[in-house]
Amino acid sequence: MSKSALAYVVSLILLGGAVVLGVTVGTVPISPAVIWNPSSDEAAANILWNIRMPRVVLAGLVGAALAIAGAAFQGLLKNPLADPYTLGVSSGAAVGAVMTLFFGISIPFLGLFTLPVISMIGALITMLAVMGFARLVDRSMKMETVILTGIIFSSFLGSIMSLMIALTGEELRQIIGWLLGSVSMRGWPYVQMALPFVLVGSFVLWLYRRELNAMLFGEERAQHLGVDVKKSKMAILIGGSVLTGSAVAVSGTIGFVGLVVPHMTRLVWGSDHRHVLPLSFINGAALLIVCDLVARTIISPTELPIGVITAFIGAPVFAFIFFRQRRGGL
Amino acid sequence: MLQIENLSGGYGDKKIVDRISFGVEKGRMLGILGPNGSGKSTLMKLISGVLEPTAGVVRVDGRPVGDFPAKELARKMAVLPQLHAHAFSHTVRETVSLGRYPHQSGWFSSWSAEDEAAVQEAMQLMDISHYESTLLEEMSGGEQQRVFVAQALAQNAAVLLLDEPTNHLDINHQKELLDTIKKQAIEKELTIISIFHDINLASMYCDELLLMDEGSIVRKGEPHEVVRTHDVESVYQTRVSNHPHPELPKPQITLLPGVRRTPAGLKVKAGDFLVTPEFVAYQSQLPLKTVSSAVVNAGSGWFRNFLNRRVDANYNVDNSYEEMVDYIEDSGLKATDTVAMMTAVRTEHAIVREYAGDFGSIVVAVTAGVGNGVDVSQAVAREQRVGTINTWIMVNGILSDEAFIQAMITATEAKTKALQHEEVIDPLTGTIATGTSTDSCLVAATQQGETLPYAGPITEVGKLIGTGVFECTVEAIHLYREAKKV
């Protein structure tokens, strides 16, 4: 079996394992047999299919979306520290989402999709602003410059959110809980809300897998190799924003997934985007399902926000990558 | 194949390349030379389309570069940029494979046999096949450079733009890389434009050169038209001298350093010559510029030690050169710093004299044996016998290249005149000899003091050489004949 085939098999097995664990472990333990044979235990099947499964699927979608978006942003910016969270794109999406909730915006023909679409627009605007500002500061867009710009933007956007939350009053708790990131109590409608965008966004990024490979060597080199840099860049930015926006709209800001997963994937399987993108997608889903499982079981019956778990893993990984980039050569 | 018409451009308002026009024909290699900041790289970026020109047009196959879709242009034109650091790990194979990007299309397009063949061939040409799965970051700068050249070759484009392809490479890899590229250019009729820092490399490999300064073309043409002392000196603001390549009909240049550790006052004096029964020797404090027909270190060069060694009349060694080198080393001298000749004449009979003129002085040293006189105008089959006139002329002054050759001619004429004066006979023809069968001549100069552009017989130095060589040779023949009588 070739190395890449092995990578897919291993990743899919991990994902499968995560799903099974995600739906069976909890305050009410459920036998895995219930998955194939719901009639054996009606009550358990009810919990499994109506509470746990949508939660697991949603966590998987969000993890997949953030991970593949992170991988694409890193390739586009040649920056291993880039991810929707560190770039401030998640905050942009969150502002879009909070605004939608705060003002009760509902665009008629979008209906259910109003929330993710406005989040996506927030994400895209933020991404463009961050890149524009970073380029103004430093034409070569050094790693640190981009990340610092991301921090500036997320602080600013964070304060806007705090302001809006302070003004809401009664819905305060709900929005704060949402902000910290969670996939609990969302149910199938949220899955429906996110699914089309996650699929479309991921497909767009996957179409640009070869362009991303070329762009890792710099935009100029990519152009020499025949890449239409402007078009590819825009497509990747839009694809990444669609993914980030839809993920944030259904789960709030969950940090570092887009950083950790592509990094681990590259470490094990190399940095060819033809594989990094789909593998990040699968592994991102598995990771977030496991994180969510930990978040709801570690201090059961109380649930931790899932963002706490991802940050707990992600921040040290961030520090490690930063250290390696600066001190360990490449 | 490639036409550049009135091309101008730069960054922002700053115009770096100013109305440049030239063309390169299919299968030709053009080298761009110029000092740092002369606009070479900017010109390259304008040609490759990375920078938008403010005026002018670049045509490939008659079609403006701007009209090509990105992928189609990349199939026509491959670019090798200067090396950059990058943040992610890639294997050599992944990197070279990217060169096939412009040949792939469609959403699910897969790797074709043609892609694979092109990648394999490019890796083989650059001698990196065995590195296939090595990570780029684990390789040296030179190896990485070869990977990127392979990437550009894998593009299979008819036009190749190279920005200092030999950067980071040692001389062996410089040669290998340029040989490979040149071979590709010939076999596949590639059209190549390459920036060079090294004028000599550019001269050796390019069919045409283009010398740039301040965004404009100073000179364009074949290497001999461009690599000229005057232009190179004015563009690079540095002193150079040009000379022919030893094997190729291409000019090469040599830097003339601004700082030299040469104390003035170097003077060759007759009294410093060491004359013994075994040899005549002169050791100079500093190397003298020398042209000679010696046994060891013939031709031209700079040497400190000068040796005229006596060997037995029956000296017959298969490899006289090796034997001579051993002899020099055994005497405690460095063979690389010594010009050595041999003679069967008794070296204590050498005549060493100093002749003074207005410009300075010369020293002439002659050993003569005329038992083997030859009249050069009568070509007759003869067996080789020992009997040699060795003539040294050391000049305290600066000799030009012409002066070195003229000094040789003048010395030879004076020697011939001396033989005539002494009525040395060619025993085979019975006519007056013009020399012997194994004569050697050496002209050395301190290259300090007055400049002597010519050394013909009516120049000051020529007169001294003529008189000196004549007198010394006549006297040496006398001593030789007297010694024979005893």
Side-chain angles (χ1 to χ4, degrees), chain B residues 67-84:
Chain B
D67 289 3
F68 282 92
K71 267 191 181 177
E72 201 183 329
L73 185 61
R75 288 197 292 266
K76 278 269 179 214
M77 188 194 274
V79 183
L80 175 79
Q82 282 182 323
L83 212 55
H84 292 295

Side-chain angles (χ1 to χ4, degrees), chain B residues 46 105 124 194:
Chain B
L46 288 168
S105 56
Q124 227 155 47
S194 177

Side-chain angles (χ1 to χ4, degrees), chain B residues 255-400:
Chain B
L255 270 178
L256 303 176
V259 186
R260 277 208 285 176
R261 247 175 73 180
T262 315
L266 175 65
K267 191 163 184 268
V268 182
K269 293 188 208 120
D272 295 340
F273 277 66
L274 198 58
V275 179
T276 75
E278 253 192 83
F279 56 76
V280 179
Y282 176 72
Q283 271 189 288
S284 170
Q285 262 177 305
L286 296 168
L288 306 182
K289 190 173 181 185
T290 308
V291 175
S292 78
S293 58
V295 175
V296 174
N297 286 323
S300 60
W302 291 79
F303 304 99
R304 280 199 188 82
N305 308 318
F306 300 86
L307 187 69
N308 185 5
R309 171 194 172 199
R310 185 191 177 178
V311 294
D312 191 77
N314 302 318
Y315 175 85
N316 191 0
V317 176
D318 280 346
N319 199 339
S320 58
Y321 176 82
E322 303 270 310
E323 195 272 338
M324 195 69 164
V325 167
D326 289 344
Y327 178 82
I328 296 166
E329 297 277 347
D330 289 345
S331 332
L333 299 175
K334 285 180 181 142
T336 48
D337 201 12
T338 305
V339 184
M341 344 180 138
M342 48 177 82
T343 177
V345 178
R346 295 164 71 166
T347 46
E348 69 264 36
H349 291 158
I351 304 297
V352 181
R353 284 221 186 122
E354 200 165 323
Y355 295 86
D358 289 344
F359 65 90
S361 60
I362 69 165
V363 175
V364 177
V366 176
T367 58
V370 291
N372 189 24
V374 171
D375 177 356
V376 75
S377 65
Q378 310 269 320
V380 183
R382 61 180 84 228
E383 58 177 307
Q384 192 168 324
R385 285 155 53 199
V386 182
T388 299
I389 301 173
N390 284 347
T391 312
W392 291 4
I393 298 127
M394 314 283 214
V395 180
N396 288 306
I398 301 173
L399 289 188
S400 68

Side-chain angles (χ1 to χ4, degrees), chain A residues 253-267:
Chain A
T253 48
I254 297 173
F256 298 110
V257 181
L259 186 85
V260 175
V261 174
H263 180 70
M264 297 300 178
T265 307
R266 281 198 193 90
L267 215 56

Side-chain angles (χ1 to χ4, degrees), chain A residues 74 78-80 203 206-207 209-211 213-214 216-217 220-221 223-228 266 271-272 325 330, chain B residues 45 48-50 70-71 74 79 81 86-90 95 98 101-102 104 106-109 137 151 155:
Chain A
Q74 287 156 23
K78 289 182 292 170
N79 185 338
F203 184 66
W206 182 77
L207 282 184
R209 62 205 181 280
R210 288 192 299 252
E211 284 77 3
N213 278 343
L216 275 189
F217 290 95
E220 199 179 309
R221 185 81 203 111
Q223 192 178 332
H224 290 151
L225 288 167
V227 174
D228 186 337
R266 281 198 193 90
S271 46
D272 184 343
Q325 289 286 326
L330 287 162
Chain B
K45 285 184 180 170
S48 68
V50 170
K71 267 191 181 177
V79 183
H86 27 83
F88 294 97
S89 308
H90 300 269
T95 310
L98 263 184
Y101 171 81
Q104 296 176 305
W107 288 0
F108 301 95
S109 75
E137 71 221 38
Q151 190 187 55
Q155 256 174 273

Side-chain angles (χ1 to χ4, degrees), chain B residues 106-390:
Chain B
W107 288 0
F108 301 95
S109 75
S110 57
W111 195 243
S112 71
E114 192 191 335
D115 291 330
E116 183 63 30
V119 167
Q120 291 298 344
E121 191 196 345
M123 289 199 295
Q124 227 155 47
L125 284 171
M126 282 298 111
D127 193 23
I128 49 170
S129 303
H130 51 294
Y131 287 132
E132 202 174 321
S133 44
T134 308
L135 291 176
L136 220 50
E137 71 221 38
E138 291 165 2
M139 305 175 91
S140 71
E143 290 166 334
Q144 290 187 19
Q145 183 74 349
R146 277 151 57 206
V147 174
F148 285 105
V149 174
Q151 190 187 55
L153 288 178
Q155 256 174 273
N156 265 350
V159 178
L160 207 52
L161 304 182
L162 311 168
D163 194 343
E164 287 188 42
T166 55
N167 225 351
H168 304 281
L169 299 181
D170 62 32
I171 52 168
N172 171 39
H173 283 125
Q174 288 187 0
K175 177 196 152 285
E176 293 286 323
L177 183 129
L178 289 173
D179 279 351
T180 309
I181 288 176
K182 182 88 185 174
K183 207 169 142 226
Q184 291 293 301
I186 295 166
E187 279 174 10
K188 298 190 178 161
E189 290 214 286
L190 301 185
T191 307
I192 300 176
I193 298 184
S194 177
I195 293 179
F196 280 95
H197 250 318
D198 188 324
I199 298 173
N200 290 337
L201 271 184
S203 171
M204 273 186 268
Y205 283 96
C206 295
D207 303 303
E208 277 176 289
L209 295 176
L210 190 153
L211 181 63
M212 275 184 81
D213 195 22
E214 291 175 352
S216 306
I217 297 178
V218 175
R219 202 163 289 281
K220 178 185 178 290
E222 289 186 42
H224 65 84
E225 295 175 276
V226 176
V227 183
R228 301 202 308 192
T229 313
H230 178 76
D231 288 330
V232 173
E233 283 191 339
S234 73
V235 166
Y236 285 91
Q237 302 282 314
T238 188
R239 287 197 324 129
V240 299
S241 164
N242 74 343
H243 54 90
H245 188 278
E247 283 189 359
L248 300 174
K250 302 275 191 150
Q252 299 283 286
I253 61 145
T254 307
L255 270 178
L256 303 176
V259 186
R260 277 208 285 176
R261 247 175 73 180
T262 315
L266 175 65
K267 191 163 184 268
V268 182
K269 293 188 208 120
D272 295 340
F273 277 66
L274 198 58
V275 179
T276 75
E278 253 192 83
F279 56 76
V280 179
Y282 176 72
Q283 271 189 288
S284 170
Q285 262 177 305
L286 296 168
L288 306 182
K289 190 173 181 185
T290 308
V291 175
S292 78
S293 58
V295 175
V296 174
N297 286 323
S300 60
W302 291 79
F303 304 99
R304 280 199 188 82
N305 308 318
F306 300 86
L307 187 69
N308 185 5
R309 171 194 172 199
R310 185 191 177 178
V311 294
D312 191 77
N314 302 318
Y315 175 85
N316 191 0
V317 176
D318 280 346
N319 199 339
S320 58
Y321 176 82
E322 303 270 310
E323 195 272 338
M324 195 69 164
V325 167
D326 289 344
Y327 178 82
I328 296 166
E329 297 277 347
D330 289 345
S331 332
L333 299 175
K334 285 180 181 142
T336 48
D337 201 12
T338 305
V339 184
M341 344 180 138
M342 48 177 82
T343 177
V345 178
R346 295 164 71 166
T347 46
E348 69 264 36
H349 291 158
I351 304 297
V352 181
R353 284 221 186 122
E354 200 165 323
Y355 295 86
D358 289 344
F359 65 90
S361 60
I362 69 165
V363 175
V364 177
V366 176
T367 58
V370 291
N372 189 24
V374 171
D375 177 356
V376 75
S377 65
Q378 310 269 320
V380 183
R382 61 180 84 228
E383 58 177 307
Q384 192 168 324
R385 285 155 53 199
V386 182
T388 299
I389 301 173
N390 284 347

Side-chain angles (χ1 to χ4, degrees), chain B residues 415-478:
Chain B
K415 175 192 75 181
T416 303
K417 181 72 185 176
L419 263 62
Q420 188 189 356
H421 184 267
E422 287 304 307
E423 294 179 347
V424 176
I425 304 294
D426 179 338
L428 268 177
T429 60
T431 52
I432 291 199
T434 53
T436 77
S437 56
T438 50
D439 288 356
S440 254
C441 187
L442 174 151
V443 179
T446 54
Q447 301 300 85
Q448 289 188 3
E450 219 168 289
T451 304
L452 307 166
Y454 307 109
I458 57 160
T459 61
E460 195 65 31
V461 63
K463 284 175 193 164
L464 294 186
I465 293 170
T467 331
V469 171
F470 177 76
E471 282 180 19
C472 293
T473 311
V474 166
E475 201 141 329
I477 293 170
H478 286 169

